[in-house]
Amino acid sequence: MARACDLALLLAVDVSGSVDASEYDIQMGGLAAGLRDGIVVEALIKAEAAVAVMQWTGADRQVMSVPWMRVRNGAEASALAAAVDAAPRGWRRYSTAIGDALTRAAQEFEAGPTCRRMVLDVSGDGPSNEGSAPDEGRKRLGRMGVTVNGLVIEADEEDLTGYYWENVITGPGAFVVTANGFEEYPKRIRQKLVREVAQQLSALE
């Protein structure tokens, strides 16, 4: 029997100016589809998870587009995926402030539900070019015991995957998944969710 709220999962989605309208739709649609995947749903229910979605872009521009929602049964899992599908875009024309996004995520974990395991899932298509240094937020999350994983969308930047390994992720078993373009995002976010939710939960049993 899973302990109440084994997992708090915050999904941070890049909506900076480099992400056009169709790419935004691919991200949010792919994320909703991943959250409907049978393996992911089963694991979230077993963990009695709390899940939220944050959109982020430039300095001081982050919004919780889906607030913390518990997933304890199929109906709650369906409601979560529907909320992701329906979430409006927060911004369209701003820069990429990964450090500020990490700091805001830390605040949301501090104010959010008390869960045994805390995971931040950061997706993005570029390096930080505004706001605080990513390392500041990363260290704060590390001190809190939050694992930060990355999903990199390789488009125009050179070795963004390496950048995320060096500057964004933290925590035991933290990892980066790479999508070669936005078209691969739905496939990769599903793989990432399975790895974060289902595989990690099984390893703890």
Side-chain angles (χ1 to χ4, degrees):
M1 186 73 176
R3 187 180 310 165
C5 198
D6 268 355
L7 172 67
L9 175 64
L10 176 54
L11 300 150
V13 178
D14 180 1
V15 295
S16 58
S18 58
V19 178
D20 66 26
S22 65
E23 291 165 346
Y24 171 80
D25 290 342
I26 289 171
Q27 283 191 97
M28 298 302 284
L31 182 55
L35 290 168
R36 290 187 176 101
D37 180 85
I39 295 172
V40 174
V41 169
E42 181 181 5
L44 289 174
I45 292 171
K46 190 171 185 179
E48 299 189 24
V51 184
V53 178
M54 180 180 79
Q55 295 180 28
W56 63 275
T57 174
D60 299 320
R61 289 186 171 88
Q62 308 89 31
V63 63
M64 294 291 282
S65 53
V66 178
W68 291 107
M69 298 179 66
R70 294 297 300 272
V71 182
R72 293 160 294 197
N73 52 54
E76 291 182 340
S78 295
L80 171 64
V84 174
D85 261 334
R89 183 170 183 164
W91 298 274
R92 299 176 186 276
R93 298 181 296 275
Y94 293 96
S95 300
T96 304
I98 297 176
D100 284 39
L102 296 177
T103 297
R104 173 64 184 275
Q107 295 168 354
E108 294 299 334
F109 278 113
E110 288 172 342
T114 301
C115 299
R116 185 181 56 79
R117 189 164 63 97
M118 296 178 289
V119 176
L120 172 62
D121 181 325
V122 183
S123 62
D125 72 341
S128 191
N129 56 23
E130 184 177 277
S132 61
D135 198 48
E136 295 177 22
R138 179 173 69 163
K139 287 180 177 177
R140 178 174 175 180
L141 288 160
R143 290 192 296 268
M144 293 169 58
V146 178
T147 296
V148 181
N149 298 322
L151 195 163
V152 166
I153 304 163
E154 292 278 9
D156 301 324
E157 299 295 335
E158 183 176 347
D159 194 20
L160 186 60
T161 298
Y163 177 87
Y164 264 61
W165 274 105
E166 294 175 6
N167 298 282
V168 179
I169 69 168
T170 190
F175 63 93
V176 179
V177 170
T178 301
N180 292 310
F182 280 88
E183 295 76 12
E184 273 195 13
Y185 179 91
K187 177 180 179 180
R188 299 305 178 199
I189 190 63
R190 179 199 172 275
Q191 292 176 341
K192 190 162 183 281
L193 287 168
V194 169
R195 184 171 174 181
E196 285 172 329
V197 179
Q199 293 182 4
Q200 291 296 320
L201 186 62
S202 297
L204 294 169
E205 293 179 338

